[in-house]
Amino acid sequence: MKLVILDRDGTINHEREDYIKSPEEWVPLPGALEAIARLNHAGWHVVVATNQSGIGRGLFDMVALNAMHAKMNQMLAKVGGRVEAVFFCPHTPEDHCTCRKPMPGLFQMIGQRFGRSLDGVPMVGDLPRDVLAAQSVGCEPHLVRTGQAATMPEAELQALRQQVSGLTIHPNLSAFADYLILREQRVQGEDSPVSTHTGEIS
């Protein structure tokens, strides 16, 4: 099984400083849903790993979170894409849980759910904690310059590169999807071109 793990806020959809608390506030980034669909069509199974401390903070409940993901799935279906599952941490930092990224708990749950090692599984997010969590379980770490990483100073990016071995940085989720698909085509010796979507930074 070809598995890929995506962060949610700032990677698939726009972030909000006051948290995304309802389906109405859940708005996909340009090209992100289509990127997931392209990954699906290339044989990738997509799962999401996301911190959702708004639940622990009392800003929204499970009904609202499920409604957000129902909206995401409905919008994905319209472009021919799907997410296999969403793994989320509802805790605040003060809870000191093992599932809030950069802790590895969510990733360990994914490995258990799919019955496989996560060594080499591509993971992409927009925050250092995403790639640090990915690195901790052997995933292949990728960062997108959307969400909070859009304004990350170059010095911080360089420091993160030194901290996370093998980190690859992309403009957005579309560019990440194209990277994986094109790399696989090259490995398989295919000459068919892949469309690129590298100018959709939000």
Side-chain angles (χ1 to χ4, degrees):
M1 172 191 281
K2 296 193 303 184
L3 185 67
V4 60
I5 303 171
L6 311 183
D7 171 51
R8 198 194 80 170
D9 302 335
T11 300
I12 301 174
N13 57 278
H14 289 281
E15 283 192 293
R16 293 172 58 108
E17 291 186 3
D18 60 345
Y19 298 87
I20 298 165
K21 304 175 290 299
S22 68
E24 293 73 26
E25 294 179 352
W26 193 93
V27 179
L29 287 162
L33 301 183
E34 292 80 2
I36 293 173
R38 291 202 305 280
L39 287 169
N40 293 151
H41 296 163
W44 294 88
H45 295 261
V46 177
V47 298
V48 171
T50 176
N51 289 352
Q52 292 297 322
S53 67
I55 293 177
R57 300 174 197 273
L59 300 176
F60 56 89
D61 57 18
M62 281 299 306
V63 173
L65 185 66
N66 288 336
M68 294 178 214
H69 293 153
K71 177 181 180 179
M72 177 179 70
N73 289 328
Q74 290 165 3
M75 295 183 73
L76 272 170
K78 291 180 180 178
V79 297
R82 63 170 293 175
V83 164
E84 300 287 335
V86 178
F87 295 79
F88 67 93
C89 169
H91 306 113
T92 67
E94 291 74 25
D95 292 324
H96 302 292
C97 66
T98 60
C99 54
R100 179 177 169 82
K101 294 179 287 185
M103 298 298 287
L106 287 181
F107 294 86
Q108 293 168 345
M109 292 178 199
I110 292 170
Q112 291 168 2
R113 166 77 174 272
F114 290 93
R116 58 161 297 168
S117 166
L118 297 184
D119 284 346
V121 170
M123 189 279 163
V124 63
D126 72 308
L127 286 169
R129 68 187 180 202
D130 296 319
V131 295
L132 288 169
Q135 177 180 247
S136 73
V137 294
C139 285
E140 178 187 306
H142 295 262
L143 185 80
V144 283
R145 296 297 305 274
T146 50
Q148 295 189 38
T151 57
M152 189 179 294
E154 186 61 31
E156 288 186 25
L157 285 175
Q158 291 303 321
L160 188 61
R161 285 183 190 274
Q162 294 177 1
Q163 190 176 8
V164 180
S165 177
L167 178 64
T168 305
I169 300 176
H170 310 271
N172 48 44
L173 192 58
S174 288
F176 166 76
D178 291 339
Y179 172 87
L180 286 191
I181 295 167
L182 183 57
R183 182 177 67 179
E184 185 175 54
Q185 288 178 351
R186 286 172 174 164
V187 168
Q188 296 175 348
E190 298 177 6
D191 295 324
S192 57
V194 59
S195 60
T196 55
H197 303 73
T198 57
E200 297 171 344
I201 297 178
S202 175

